[in-house]
Amino acid sequence: MGAVLGQTEGGPCPCGTGEAYAACCGPLHRQERLAETAEELMRSRYAAYARGEFDHVFRTWHPRTRPADVTADAHLVWQGLEVLGTSAGGPDDDTGEVEFRASYQLGKQRGTMRERSRFTRRGARWVYLDGHEITD
């Protein structure tokens, strides 16, 4: 997955919260703190794909389900994230689900991807387990 062009440390976070990247997903990407909820981890993973922070994507993927390598399509540009709903995944939960829609551009083609992602805790850390794409 390619990066959003023009993203800086002081600019808005691609995850859609409206906060600056440096205060939002940046600390998670830099391993300064852990995500408190499944939704926060999902948003940080989206932002990591959008910014090209693939080490964060790999690190937050459950070892049982993650691929050996996380690769990127240099032509894919992530353009927006909309969280559609959550189930569990709070600070006191062990599992959670987040449904989202992400918009992208690939060359001249624009599209959206909708997924229901499952998360679980490994120790004190939320990790991505798997996701199921939803067709509209």
Side-chain angles (χ1 to χ4, degrees), residues 66-124:
R66 75 177 166 223
D69 184 34
V70 179
T71 58
D73 182 333
H75 303 289
L76 183 62
V77 179
W78 293 101
Q79 299 185 308
L81 175 68
E82 178 185 7
V83 173
L84 303 173
T86 61
S87 175
D92 297 324
D93 295 319
D94 290 328
T95 62
E97 293 185 356
V98 180
E99 186 174 331
F100 67 91
R101 180 179 297 121
S103 59
Y104 63 86
Q105 183 167 344
L106 182 58
K108 294 182 180 183
Q109 180 181 1
R110 294 179 186 266
T112 60
M113 171 193 154
R114 185 171 166 193
E115 180 178 296
R116 177 168 285 280
S117 297
R118 294 189 315 149
F119 298 86
T120 190
R121 284 199 190 264
R122 270 181 68 85

Side-chain angles (χ1 to χ4, degrees), residues 43-56:
R43 286 181 179 277
S44 76
R45 287 172 55 83
Y46 170 84
Y49 276 113
R51 293 180 54 89
E53 301 279 350
F54 299 109
D55 58 329
H56 177 74

Side-chain angles (χ1 to χ4, degrees), residues 6-56:
Q7 293 291 335
T8 64
E9 191 72 17
C13 192
C15 81
T17 60
E19 295 180 42
Y21 171 76
C24 190
C25 291
L28 280 76
H29 294 172
R30 294 186 302 269
Q31 301 182 60
E32 295 171 359
R33 68 177 189 84
L34 299 174
E36 295 180 15
T37 66
E39 180 180 341
E40 185 179 27
L41 181 64
M42 189 282 307
R43 286 181 179 277
S44 76
R45 287 172 55 83
Y46 170 84
Y49 276 113
R51 293 180 54 89
E53 301 279 350
F54 299 109
D55 58 329
H56 177 74

